[in-house]
Amino acid sequence: NSSSSSSNYYYYPPIPHNDTLGRMYELNFDNWREWMLYNQSFHDQHKLIHIMADNDDWIRLQIHFYYTFFWQDSNYNLWSKRYIRNVLRYKDEFQCAAARIVTKLREYSREHHHGGGNNNNGTFYTYHVRRGDFAHIHLSDNAQALVNASDGIVPMNATVYIATDEANSKWFATAFHNKRFRGVYFLNDFIQTELPDISPN
């Protein structure tokens, strides 16, 4: 099955690394993207490849790298992905800090029984809200619309963590700090306790 789409999302199925060349190409590009052949001649003529971003036209590379590259050799395909996974990743100190924050959120959820019942597993819910450079066009500028869209997914009284680039937390205040949610947290709530020695940059 090739990719499917709606007005809200694209879905790309996994590409078997040992599939036929034609089938792999079909699944990777799905006949909707122009492609550029990278061979020895192209390599010799160019020292740098720049994947453009355009602020005026809101062009952003916001998908995984392996959806923009197609390897004819399936073995090199796997090697490249392993290399990116093992080398180009967050440092251990960031991974560990994130794990500490998750642990704290689960503790808060268990202590306050957010989400109803005993909630012994410490379930919490996360909103990823882009408000700055990576915000998409035509998204709602109303925090209440985000809450309304999550009805039926996020239960009443849930513990909520909001990951956002919005510097003004008051933008969320009316919609999130009410009886709908009892525990609402941001990264700033953990800076002093879990990230004391990590540069904010």
Side-chain angles (χ1 to χ4, degrees), residues 78-143:
L78 293 179
W79 180 91
S80 301
K81 292 174 181 177
R82 284 196 298 267
Y83 181 83
I84 296 294
R85 179 198 65 192
N86 295 337
V87 178
L88 298 180
R89 62 182 185 85
Y90 288 111
K91 295 180 178 179
D92 290 342
E93 59 182 310
F94 298 120
Q95 299 279 12
C96 293
R100 292 195 299 270
I101 292 175
V102 169
T103 298
K104 284 292 185 181
L105 287 167
R106 293 195 183 281
E107 289 177 359
Y108 296 157
S109 183
R110 283 192 292 265
E111 290 172 2
H112 300 288
H113 306 295
H114 293 155
N118 293 326
N119 194 12
N120 293 325
N121 61 354
T123 299
F124 67 92
Y125 298 81
T126 301
Y127 288 83
H128 183 188
V129 183
R130 288 175 167 170
R131 296 275 297 153
D133 184 52
F134 289 102
H136 296 282
I137 296 177
H138 305 311
L139 288 188
S140 173
D141 193 35
N142 187 329

Side-chain angles (χ1 to χ4, degrees), residues 41-67:
S41 175
F42 187 93
H43 175 80
D44 293 339
Q45 296 177 41
H46 301 86
K47 295 182 178 180
L48 176 69
I49 299 176
H50 176 232
I51 300 177
M52 182 191 70
D54 189 316
N55 287 329
D56 294 333
D57 290 333
W58 284 76
I59 297 175
R60 290 288 188 274
L61 185 63
Q62 293 184 334
I63 57 176
H64 296 296
F65 74 94
Y66 43 78
Y67 283 128

